[in-house]
Amino acid sequence: MQAGPAERSAWQRTAAGANLLGADGKLGVTIFEEMTSLAVKHGAINLGQGFPDEDGPAEMMEAARAAILNGANQYAPGQGIPRLREAVAVHQERFYGITLDPWREVIVSTGATEGIAAAVLALAGPGDEVLTFEPFYDSYGAMIALAGAEHVTVPLHAPSFQPHLAELEAAFTPRTRLVIVNNPHNPTGAVFGRDVLARIVELAGKHDAVILTDEVYEHLVFGEPHIPVASLPGAAARTLTISSAGKTFSFTGWKVGWVTGPEELVARVRTIKQFLTYSSGTPFQEAVAQGLDYPDEFFRGIASALEAKRDILAEGLRAAGLDVFMPLGTYFITADAAPLGFDDALDLARRLPELVGVAAIPVSVFCHPEGAERTRSLLRFAFCKKEPLLAEAAARLSRLVDLV
Ligand code: PMP
Ligand code: GLN
């Protein structure tokens, strides 16, 4: 059936707000997809889409294989297999002292992405405002638009990419329903200080808003230990926390994530999740449960291996003439191409694979127009790659200086 003009324009509005349309108005693909395709086309080193070039622990792959052979091949329970829910609860207690009931306060999702989608759809709708920091991970903007809610942003300011507390306070209104926090932060690599997190909790309390905190990079921090929002005084009762096996265990393709929080909020997320995927990959859940039981040294080792990679890429980017904003978490570095004479990082990113054989992501795609202007010359590079590859990427980028 052909959609009438009114329907078509409503759909166009939703799709544009959700960043589903390309510049030509046609249905688009995400920036990650676009840059990965360009990298493949030009045989470039892909520092765009964030995925490691090495597999996670061999024992976990063995556990997934064993689970398949042992018959874990039919639907898992909608809320996730009990063993994984228990492992998530034990992990939260072990690292953060957060006590959860694995039966009521934990659900498994198909990656963090589904957790985000289900939570936004469950908690926000037309007439509601959803607050995020800016730049923001792309799926937040898309889901807020698909939920029909209004997206309000609070800028993060270079070089540390922290928010100004006065701007944070001013962004809250009586219609603020949901505040989405992402800490450590993609794309900037910022880690929010306790003062910022405490202020978010205080303001959410004052305005009776729910906090949705995306902590998928919780173990990828290079300084102070990670502070979960839910561990702060007054936060637990209004906070949903999301994490994922993709980052912690380097299995981005397994798409196993989880959502934790108070029973009533988790139940709402679960209700939506049932109609998105119903349940998530059974054998991978078995394997991730095993991984979550690894000793503390395993989790510390993830960050120290990545820190060395961060330093190699940062050094290479500086040597190539870019200004580097050193990340305190995640596996992304933000760098400014303006000192090389490139003011439009979106245009540069589209040409970079062909120009020098490296792919990166322009930070402006994580922003609304005003924020895009502020971040116009910034590029995001992923450093979850083998060290020689990072050194080679840096060497290739050093050719940029001759191409202006
Ligand atoms: N949130 C953030 C901040 C991310 O960076 C990513 C993936 N890079 C996700 C969510 C999605 O995680 P998953 O692959 O587990 O769906
Ligand atoms: N989250 C990954 C990144 O930021 C990509 C995930 C995706 O392709 N949607 O690079």
Side-chain angles (χ1 to χ4, degrees):
M1 198 181 76
Q2 200 71 23
E7 284 169 70
R8 206 162 40 235
S9 68
W11 156 246
Q12 290 275 343
R13 273 200 307 279
T14 305
N19 249 335
L20 300 176
L21 298 184
D24 54 3
K26 300 216 172 80
L27 280 174
V29 295
T30 74
I31 190 71
F32 307 113
E33 201 84 47
E34 180 183 348
M35 292 303 155
T36 291
S37 308
L38 279 178
V40 170
K41 178 169 167 199
H42 297 289
I45 297 175
N46 189 356
L47 305 188
Q49 193 174 32
F51 61 88
D53 61 355
E54 289 177 281
D55 288 330
E59 303 79 28
M60 286 176 72
M61 294 195 280
E62 205 39 65
R65 195 200 320 258
I68 289 172
L69 293 177
N70 291 332
N73 298 308
Q74 309 308 330
Y75 292 127
Q79 70 270 44
I81 64 167
R83 182 171 170 216
L84 178 53
R85 280 182 277 136
E86 276 157 23
V88 168
V90 169
H91 171 278
Q92 295 303 95
E93 180 82 54
R94 166 160 63 132
F95 286 98
Y96 311 125
I98 294 173
T99 306
L100 294 165
D101 175 347
W103 300 98
R104 297 189 185 83
E105 297 176 325
V106 180
I107 61 160
V108 174
S109 55
T110 303
T113 306
E114 190 199 27
I116 294 161
V120 172
L121 291 172
L123 297 165
D128 294 334
E129 288 176 1
V130 180
L131 212 154
T132 76
F133 295 93
E134 185 179 46
F136 50 86
Y137 183 58
D138 66 341
S139 81
Y140 309 158
M143 289 318 305
I144 294 165
L146 291 174
E150 207 170 307
H151 188 175
V152 176
T153 57
V154 178
L156 298 177
H157 297 282
S160 63
F161 293 106
Q162 300 289 318
H164 292 165
L165 296 184
E167 288 178 339
L168 175 63
E169 180 165 3
F172 276 83
T173 78
R175 291 202 288 135
T176 308
R177 251 319 93 258
L178 187 62
V179 184
I180 305 183
V181 181
N182 172 210
N183 186 48
H185 183 260
N186 180 8
T188 64
V191 169
F192 291 166
R194 189 178 285 276
D195 57 331
V196 171
L197 298 175
R199 193 84 178 112
I200 294 168
V201 174
E202 185 196 325
L203 289 165
K206 189 167 151 201
H207 294 271
D208 198 20
V210 171
I211 301 170
L212 175 64
T213 176
D214 175 346
E215 302 185 3
V216 295
Y217 298 102
E218 61 187 311
H219 290 292
L220 281 50
V221 286
F222 312 122
E224 301 293 304
H226 173 65
I227 306 172
V229 174
S231 68
L232 295 178
R238 61 176 67 255
T239 301
L240 279 171
T241 305
I242 289 185
S243 195
S244 160
K247 318 294 158 181
T248 299
F249 298 110
S250 294
F251 288 125
T252 60
W254 286 14
K255 299 299 295 185
V256 175
W258 46 90
V259 183
T260 57
E263 177 177 3
E264 195 258 310
L265 293 178
V266 167
R268 286 171 71 171
V269 174
R270 183 180 159 191
T271 304
I272 302 287
K273 187 232 153 61
Q274 294 180 104
F275 300 108
L276 295 177
T277 58
Y278 173 56
S279 71
S280 312
T282 313
F284 294 128
Q285 294 190 42
E286 299 275 357
V288 171
Q290 177 170 315
L292 284 171
D293 286 344
Y294 285 159
D296 291 4
E297 304 82 72
F298 168 82
F299 294 89
R300 276 198 292 272
I302 308 169
S304 53
L306 265 180
E307 192 166 354
K309 293 171 186 247
R310 173 194 70 168
D311 294 346
I312 290 170
L313 184 63
E315 193 41 50
L317 291 172
R318 270 192 216 106
L322 292 99
D323 267 352
V324 167
F325 301 102
M326 206 58 165
L328 293 176
T330 75
Y331 41 51
F332 303 116
I333 291 186
T334 296
D336 194 345
L340 289 173
F342 293 100
D343 289 329
D344 184 346
L346 177 58
D347 173 63
L348 177 60
R350 290 193 163 126
R351 294 193 294 134
L352 205 54
E354 189 171 6
L355 277 182
V356 296
V358 176
I361 302 282
V363 172
S364 61
V365 299
F366 302 103
C367 297
H368 289 154
E370 211 178 295
E373 207 39 56
R374 255 196 318 273
T375 54
R376 199 160 181 262
S377 57
L378 303 185
L379 286 170
R380 187 198 81 174
F381 296 88
F383 56 84
C384 45
K385 309 289 173 183
K386 292 191 195 82
E387 296 182 7
L389 200 73
L390 294 172
E392 170 61 22
R396 291 184 184 189
L397 286 163
S398 68
R399 299 209 296 269
L400 271 178
V401 72
D402 304 319
L403 295 172
V404 191

